[in-house]
C-alpha cells in the first residue's frame, strides 16, 4: 500500500469516526435544533481539525440530519413529536419479533461478544458520556438484528434510530438512572441465552417503548 493510499484510508476513517460521533450527539440531544454549530468548534471538541468535521457534516446533510448554514456551520434538523411516535411504532413492529425469531439462531460462542457490547453501553452511562452511550446502544441493537440476515431491516432501523431524539437521556444521567437503563441490555442477553423467545420479545417491546417515553423530550 502506498503512502497516498494509507493517508486516504486514514482520512476516510477519521471522517467516518467524526460522522458517527456527530450522529450520536444529535440522537442523544447534546446538539439541539436551532443552535448553529461550527466545524472548528466541533473539531476542537473531537480533537481533530475542522476538515473531517466539514466532510462529516456534508454526509449528515445529505441524510437530512442537519442543514448547512453558509459560512457559519450547521443546524440540527428538528424532529416533530409525530415523527418520534411514528419512528417508535415502526421499531416496535420490527425489532421485538425479529429478536424473538433470531434467539435460537445466536450461537453460544457469541454471547461473550454481546455482553461486551452491553458493557460498553453501561460504561458510557457510568461516565455520563451520552455520545458513547448512544453509539454503543446502536451497535448492540443493530448487531442483534444482524442475525436475521436481512440487511434491509438493519439499514431501515439504523436510519430510524438516526432520526430519533433522546433528550431525556441527560436528565436520566443527572438523576443517576441511566446506568439502570443501560443494564437492561444485559437482561436482553440473559433472556436470549435462556432461550425464552417470548420473554425476549416482551422485554424488547418495553425497552424500545421507553425511547418514546422517559427517554424522549416529553410532549408539551
Amino acid at each position: 500500500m502506498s503512502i497516498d493510499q494509507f493517508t486516504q484510508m486514514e482520512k476516510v476513517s477519521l471522517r467516518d469516526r467524526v460522522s458517527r460521533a456527530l450522529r450520536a450527539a444529535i440522537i442523544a440531544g447534546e446538539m439541539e435544533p436551532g443552535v448553529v454549530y461550527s466545524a472548528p468548534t466541533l473539531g476542537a471538541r473531537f480533537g481533530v481539525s475542522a476538515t473531517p468535521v466539514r466532510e462529516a457534516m456534508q454526509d449528515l446533510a445529505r441524510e437530512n440530519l442537519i442543514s448547512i448554514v453558509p459560512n457559519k456551520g450547521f443546524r440540527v434538523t428538528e424532529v416533530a413529536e409525530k415523527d418520534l411516535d411514528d419512528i417508535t411504532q415502526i421499531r416496535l413492529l420490527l425489532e421485538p419479533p425479529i429478536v424473538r425469531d433470531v434467539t435460537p439462531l445466536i450461537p453460544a460462542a457469541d454471547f461473550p461478544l454481546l455482553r461486551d457490547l452491553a458493557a460498553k453501553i453501561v460504561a458510557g452511562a457510568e461516565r455520563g458520556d451520552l455520545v458513547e452511550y448512544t453509539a454503543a446502544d446502536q451497535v448492540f441493537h443493530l448487531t442483534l438484528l444482524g442475525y436475521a440476515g436481512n440487511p434491509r431491516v438493519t439499514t431501515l432501523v439504523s436510519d430510524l434510530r438516526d432520526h430519533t431524539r433522546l433528550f431525556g437521556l441527560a436528565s436520566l444521567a443527572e438523576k443517576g438512572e441511566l446506568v439502570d437503563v443501560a443494564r437492561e441490555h444485559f437482561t436482553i442477553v440473559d433472556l436470549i441465552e435462556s432461550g425464552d423467545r417470548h420473554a425476549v420479545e416482551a422485554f424488547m417491546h418495553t425497552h424500545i417503548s421507553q425511547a418514546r417515553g422517559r427517554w424522549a423530550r416529553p410532549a408539551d
Side-chain angles (χ1 to χ4, degrees), residues 12-74:
V12 171
S13 176
L14 183 57
R15 173 178 179 166
D16 186 55
R17 292 201 302 271
V18 172
S19 180
R20 288 199 300 268
L22 287 173
R23 288 173 190 275
I26 290 170
I27 295 168
E30 287 202 343
M31 299 173 66
E32 298 187 17
V35 178
V36 176
Y37 296 93
S38 71
T41 299
L42 291 172
R45 171 179 173 179
F46 296 130
V48 300
S49 70
T51 298
V53 176
R54 291 193 182 95
E55 293 171 341
M57 286 162 54
Q58 295 293 334
D59 294 336
L60 300 183
R62 281 190 288 271
E63 297 170 33
N64 199 35
L65 291 178
I66 66 170
S67 60
I68 302 296
V69 181
N71 302 317
K72 292 184 179 180
F74 70 92

Side-chain angles (χ1 to χ4, degrees), residues 94-113:
L94 292 173
E95 294 186 61
I98 288 176
V99 176
R100 175 200 66 202
D101 291 344
V102 303
T103 289
L105 305 178
I106 299 176
D110 286 7
F111 286 111
L113 167 64

Side-chain angles (χ1 to χ4, degrees), residues 144-212:
L144 290 182
L145 293 177
Y147 288 101
N150 187 338
R152 290 181 182 273
V153 168
T154 305
T155 300
L156 174 58
V157 172
S158 177
D159 180 69
L160 290 171
R161 290 177 61 95
D162 284 348
H163 288 83
T164 300
R165 301 291 182 268
L166 302 175
F167 293 101
L169 289 182
S171 176
L172 287 175
E174 290 172 2
K175 292 186 289 187
E177 298 176 5
L178 189 58
V179 173
D180 289 336
V181 173
R183 286 177 179 149
E184 290 181 3
H185 297 86
F186 283 122
T187 302
I188 293 172
V189 179
D190 290 340
L191 290 172
I192 293 173
E193 190 168 21
S194 76
D196 192 336
R197 299 164 65 236
H198 297 293
V200 173
E201 181 179 20
F203 192 83
M204 285 290 295
H205 193 282
T206 300
H207 179 73
I208 294 170
S209 294
Q210 292 184 101
R212 188 63 193 107

Side-chain angles (χ1 to χ4, degrees), residues 118-134:
K120 291 179 180 177
I121 304 172
V122 174
E126 289 176 338
R127 285 193 283 270
D129 188 332
L130 301 186
V131 172
E132 178 185 352
Y133 173 91
T134 305

